[in-house]
């Protein structure tokens, strides 16, 4: 299984080598360029129902491009592979691949079962994007960039593997982090060695990111956002290839998560500032035509895939994302109600948001709250930016450092609007996922700040040459050592619980009696939706209906009887009922409608699968399989 991941990794290196030689991109930028191209290329093929042949065609093209470049310039291969950025990428990617595949990592989180895991698994099993497979999801319109990268990595795998989804995500994270190695070379071995050590573990500094033990994409979103800003801040004359690379990364941001569109525009603002105001000291000012061409290439490259995705959603009739009931409420009304006291719920949501800003930690040690981190980064950026502004050819980075606090304020405003108008009141009152959403922005902001120190700090103390980059890297390395000492970075001590093995076993017993097009209702009363999501994931490709409102008539004045319940199931195309946990009301109302009177469910406390009988049958629900717990 480990070997199957090495082939795609080599292909990424080959494509990066082609970019490095053909377009003179810094070696440290080549992994993220390769990943972005793969994701966007598979997006095109997947939208055309050509995901499987398109993936192999893309692989063939990548291999041919890299080999052609190697044959043409064989002496450049060692220098490319020994570059600190490429070495760091290889080290990080190989460690993650080995750790995940040998340890057998597995899903444990809510969203891993409710969204990301099913998307990975469905794409692997069906060889298509979920718009063409009928997969039931809460968020149909979410981008599928992470699943597309996993699809690329899984082509030579013997079967679907949760561990390999973590590995694919880890490779993308590694490609983002090594952008910080740009400009480092072994001519100055100390900062080069430090950069090689720092970058693979950069994301563990953020307390709530948990980057290497989850397929939640918030960390990845911040990482790609940060990589785009690092590329924008990189000093030197901006060639058109540099503009295209920055546009590719910005486009990839929007394919990570729906909110990536906002981050894509922020990255665009950052690149525009750098492109228009930063020039090498010995370069003439860009002609208006050159400036228009460069910016046009960047924005065209960044916006076209995002626009294409939106058109694709419309053409495939993909429904929008589902949030809470308050979706669409008038923001002005909510804010006025909060201010006047007539809407205590909105006032409490705003209060909770403010408390989280002041109290909820962002960095691992627990002391770096959002306000504290924003204040430190803003003050440091202001002072460093003042010095850069005096150097006329460095005004672009100065404007970036000054713009980021303003953009962060806009991000906060957007988050508050989301909590007020898009989330349920319960989620807004508890500030659901606040730390995860904040980490996305701070990861990018910290990457931009560190890049500014690495790229321009040496100019602040020219007599000390590499002192500023070295100090910055040593400081980050010390923070990483503190984080490693206090947490299991790869969660290698955590083994799959017996309950997860049992759940997979009973799911497999039911799956033997299901066809790929079967649709199932889950009855698990008195529990949260986690059980439904886990059945939804484990019973694929059979489809579990995630929406069960009033299916059993609870709360209705004239609730249905067993036959009427079966008729409701038939009308919705439901072929089976999976019964796990029931209450006394359900047993009294519907128990007689099941062929065993639900005795198999209550005796074993395990799920049983029933077939919905054709209309007119005396017993509406016939027992198909009574599951048993696997032997120890």
């Amino acid at each position: 299984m480990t070997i199957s991941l090495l082939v795609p990794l080599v292909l990424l290196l080959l494509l990066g080598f082609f970019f490095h030689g053909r377009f003179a991109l810094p070696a440290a930028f080549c992994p993220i360029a390769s990943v972005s191209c793969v994701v966007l290329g598979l997006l095109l093929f997947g939208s055309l129902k050509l995901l499987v042949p398109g993936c192999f065609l893309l692989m063939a093209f990548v291999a041919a491009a890299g080999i052609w470049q190697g044959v043409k310039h064989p002496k450049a291969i060692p220098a490319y592979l020994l570059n600190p950025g490429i070495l760091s990428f290889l080290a990080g990617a190989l460690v993650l691949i080995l750790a995940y595949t040998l340890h057998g990592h597995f899903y444990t989180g809510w969203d891993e079962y409710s969204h990301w895991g099913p998307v990975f698994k469905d794409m692997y099993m069906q060889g298509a994007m979920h718009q063409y497979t009928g997969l039931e999801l809460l968020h149909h319109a979410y981008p599928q960039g992470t699943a597309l990268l996993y699809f690329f990595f899984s082509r030579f795998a013997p079967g679907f593997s949760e561990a390999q989804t973590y590995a694919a995500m880890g490779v993308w994270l590694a490609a983002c982090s090594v952008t910080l190695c740009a400009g480092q070379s072994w001519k100055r071995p100390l900062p080069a060695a430090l950069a090689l050590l720092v970058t693979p573990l950069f994301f563990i500094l953020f307390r709530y990111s948990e980057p290497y033990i989850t397929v939640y994409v918030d960390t990845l979103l911040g990482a790609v956002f940060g990589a785009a800003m690092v590329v924008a801040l990189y000093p030197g004359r901006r060639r058109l290839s540099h503009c295209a690379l920055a546009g590719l990364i910005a486009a990839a941001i929007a394919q990570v998560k729906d909110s990536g569109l906002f981050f894509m525009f922020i990255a665009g603002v950052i690149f525009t500032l750098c492109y228009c105001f930063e020039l090498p000291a010995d370069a003439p000012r860009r002609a208006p035509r050159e400036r228009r061409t460069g910016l046009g290439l960047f924005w065209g490259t960044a916006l076209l895939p995002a626009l294409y995705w939106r058109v694709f959603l419309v053409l495939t009739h993909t429904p929008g994302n589902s949030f809470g009931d308050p979706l669409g409420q008038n923001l002005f009304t909510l804010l006025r109600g909060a201010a006047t006291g007539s809407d205590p719920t909105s006032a409490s949501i705003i209060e909770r948001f403010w408390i989280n800003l002041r109290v909820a930690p962002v960095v691992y040690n627990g002391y770096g709250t959002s306000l504290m981190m924003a204040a430190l980064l803003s003050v440091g950026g202001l002072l460093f930016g003042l010095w850069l502004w005096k150097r006329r050819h460095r005004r672009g980075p100065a404007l970036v450092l000054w713009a980021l606090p303003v953009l962060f304020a806009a991000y906060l405003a957007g988050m508050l609007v989301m909590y007020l108008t898009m989330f349920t009141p319960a989620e807004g009152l508890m500030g659901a996922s606040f730390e995860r959403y904040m980490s996305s922005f701070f990861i990018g902001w910290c990457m931009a700040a560190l890049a500014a120190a690495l790229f321009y700090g040496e100019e602040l103390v020219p007599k000390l040459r590499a002192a500023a980059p070295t100090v910055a890297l040593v400081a980050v390395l010390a923070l990483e050592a503190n984080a490693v000492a206090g947490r299991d970075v790869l969660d290698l001590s955590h083994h799959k619980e017996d309950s997860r093995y049992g759940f997979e076993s009973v799911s497999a017993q039911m799956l033997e009696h299901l066809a790929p097009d079967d649709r199932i209702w889950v009855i698990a009363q008195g529990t949260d939706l986690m059980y439904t999501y886990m059945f939804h994931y484990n019973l694929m490709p059979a489809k579990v209906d995630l929406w069960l409102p009033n299916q059993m008539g609870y709360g209705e004045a004239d609730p249905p009887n067993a036959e009427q319940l079966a008729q409701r199931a038939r009308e919705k195309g439901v072929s089976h009922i999976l019964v796990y946990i029931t209450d006394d009301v359900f047993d009294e109302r519907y128990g007689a409608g099941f062929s065993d009177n639900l005795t198999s469910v209550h005796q074993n406390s395990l799920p049983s699968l029933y077939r919905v009988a054709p209309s007119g049958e005396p017993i509406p629900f016939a027992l198909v399989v009574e599951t048993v717990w696997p032997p120890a």
Side-chain angles (χ1 to χ4, degrees):
M1 186 167 63
T2 303
I3 299 299
S4 68
L5 293 176
L6 298 183
V7 175
L9 183 63
V10 171
L11 290 175
L12 291 179
L13 289 172
L14 285 173
L15 183 58
F17 181 61
F18 172 76
F19 288 143
H20 178 61
R22 181 66 180 82
F23 301 109
L25 293 179
F29 292 163
C30 291
I32 188 62
S34 300
V35 171
S36 300
C37 284
V38 166
V39 169
L40 296 175
L42 291 181
L43 171 65
L44 175 62
F45 287 121
S47 66
L48 299 175
K49 294 188 179 181
L50 298 172
L51 188 56
V52 174
C55 184
F56 284 111
L57 181 63
L58 183 62
M59 286 181 166
F61 172 79
V62 166
I67 293 172
W68 175 80
Q69 186 67 28
V71 171
K72 191 175 180 180
H73 302 285
K75 295 182 179 180
I77 296 176
Y80 171 74
L81 293 176
L82 294 176
N83 180 272
I86 299 300
L87 282 177
S88 181
F89 172 70
L90 276 172
L94 289 174
V95 167
L96 291 173
I97 288 173
L98 289 172
Y100 290 138
T101 55
L102 296 179
H103 179 255
H105 223 65
F106 59 97
Y107 298 149
T108 58
W110 177 285
D111 286 2
E112 290 180 313
Y113 287 115
S114 66
H115 183 82
W116 304 113
V119 171
F120 286 132
K121 190 174 183 180
D122 181 64
M123 187 175 289
Y124 176 85
M125 297 176 69
Q126 306 294 335
M129 302 175 78
H130 71 75
Q131 278 78 10
Y132 300 125
T133 66
L135 175 68
E136 292 288 336
L137 289 172
L138 294 180
H139 304 297
H140 286 278
Y142 259 33
Q144 300 170 50
T146 52
L148 289 169
L149 183 64
Y150 168 68
F151 189 82
F152 179 80
F153 268 84
S154 66
R155 288 307 80 206
F156 302 103
F160 175 76
S161 167
E162 295 173 15
Q164 289 190 356
T165 63
Y166 288 98
M169 294 272 287
V171 169
W172 200 344
L173 283 171
C176 294
S177 66
V178 300
T179 57
L180 293 168
C181 291
Q184 302 295 337
S185 73
W186 295 114
K187 293 179 180 179
R188 292 188 298 176
L190 181 58
L194 288 171
L196 189 150
L197 293 173
V198 162
T199 50
L201 292 176
F202 180 79
F203 304 114
I204 66 169
L205 297 177
F206 301 88
R207 179 181 177 90
Y208 288 94
S209 62
E210 299 293 357
Y212 304 114
I213 56 175
T214 180
V215 292
Y216 284 55
V217 300
D218 303 274
T219 297
L220 180 62
L221 179 64
V224 184
F225 169 54
M229 291 196 290
V230 173
V231 170
L233 285 165
Y234 187 71
R237 186 169 179 81
R238 300 290 193 266
R239 298 182 176 88
L240 291 181
S241 58
H242 190 107
C243 298
L245 169 64
L248 277 174
I249 301 173
I253 300 174
Q255 301 308 317
V256 175
K257 194 176 181 181
D258 231 21
S259 56
L261 197 62
F262 177 79
F263 287 95
M264 183 194 76
F265 278 107
I266 295 179
V269 170
I270 299 303
F271 180 84
T272 301
L273 290 174
C274 284
Y275 187 76
C276 292
F277 291 93
E278 187 207 7
L279 289 172
D282 58 348
R285 181 167 297 277
R286 287 188 183 88
R289 182 177 180 180
E290 181 185 355
R291 184 179 303 175
R292 287 194 301 267
T293 302
L295 290 179
L297 181 59
F298 167 82
W299 282 106
T301 306
L303 290 176
L304 186 59
L307 178 62
Y308 181 85
W309 173 251
R310 296 297 164 180
V311 172
F312 171 73
L313 295 180
V314 173
L315 293 178
T316 54
H317 307 288
T318 301
N321 293 326
S322 303
F323 290 94
D325 295 333
L327 182 62
Q329 287 193 33
N330 187 282
L331 177 62
F332 177 76
T333 301
L334 294 173
L335 293 175
R336 183 176 61 185
T340 60
S342 61
D343 186 355
T345 299
S346 295
S348 298
I349 291 174
I350 295 173
E351 181 182 7
R352 167 53 59 186
F353 188 82
W354 173 243
I355 291 173
N356 282 334
L357 277 175
R358 292 184 290 110
V359 175
V362 175
V363 296
Y364 173 72
N365 60 21
Y367 298 108
T369 66
S370 297
L371 282 182
M372 180 184 297
M373 287 289 292
L376 290 174
L377 289 169
S378 298
V379 172
L382 173 64
L383 297 177
F384 193 28
L386 287 173
W387 177 83
L388 288 173
W389 185 261
K390 295 179 180 179
R391 303 172 65 84
R392 296 180 62 87
H393 60 288
R394 297 303 189 204
R395 290 187 172 181
L399 290 173
V400 168
L401 295 175
W402 295 341
L404 278 170
V406 178
L407 296 171
F408 177 66
Y411 181 66
L412 289 180
M415 283 187 61
L416 181 58
V417 170
M418 180 178 66
Y419 280 120
L420 286 171
T421 64
M422 301 176 72
F423 278 20
T424 63
E427 290 174 314
L429 289 171
M430 68 179 181
S433 302
F434 178 87
E435 295 87 353
R436 284 200 293 121
Y437 299 151
M438 293 301 296
S439 70
S440 295
F441 196 98
F442 276 112
I443 286 172
W445 196 352
C446 289
M447 287 182 70
L450 183 56
L454 294 175
F455 297 158
Y456 305 109
E458 185 177 332
E459 298 179 13
L460 183 61
V461 282
K463 293 183 179 180
L464 299 180
R465 290 186 62 95
T470 301
V471 169
L473 290 168
V474 167
V476 174
L477 188 60
L479 292 173
E480 288 180 349
N482 175 63
V484 169
R487 69 196 297 185
D488 188 352
V489 176
L490 297 180
D491 201 24
L492 297 181
S493 64
H494 189 58
H495 296 281
K496 189 178 292 188
E497 303 95 337
D498 290 340
S499 60
R500 172 68 191 274
Y501 279 119
F503 202 93
E504 291 176 345
S505 175
V506 297
S507 296
Q509 294 169 42
M510 292 184 285
L511 195 56
E512 291 179 359
H513 301 270
L514 293 169
D517 58 345
D518 283 338
R519 186 172 296 276
I520 306 148
W521 265 351
V522 175
I523 310 298
Q525 295 177 296
T527 65
D528 58 29
L529 280 174
M530 187 64 171
Y531 284 108
T532 304
Y533 291 137
M534 292 180 72
F535 282 122
H536 172 247
Y537 169 76
N538 280 284
L539 293 181
M540 294 171 66
K543 298 172 178 61
V544 173
D545 196 329
L546 293 177
W547 294 100
L548 311 173
N550 296 323
Q551 70 174 45
M552 296 171 293
Y554 279 44
E556 297 182 15
D558 185 19
N561 56 32
E563 174 55 34
Q564 291 169 333
L565 176 62
Q567 184 57 33
R568 291 188 180 186
R570 297 185 196 105
E571 291 172 354
K572 291 182 175 293
V574 174
S575 59
H576 292 78
I577 300 284
L578 191 161
V579 184
Y580 186 22
I581 301 172
T582 62
D583 59 16
D584 293 339
V585 175
F586 183 91
D587 292 343
E588 181 179 351
R589 184 178 297 169
Y590 303 116
F594 290 81
S595 59
D596 66 339
N597 204 28
L598 296 175
T599 55
S600 62
V601 176
H602 296 303
Q603 287 179 355
N604 299 329
S605 297
L606 292 174
S608 292
L609 186 69
Y610 299 84
R611 183 180 298 277
V612 179
S615 180
E617 292 288 329
I619 303 297
F621 307 108
L623 179 65
V624 175
V625 58
E626 175 184 350
T627 61
V628 296
W629 196 258

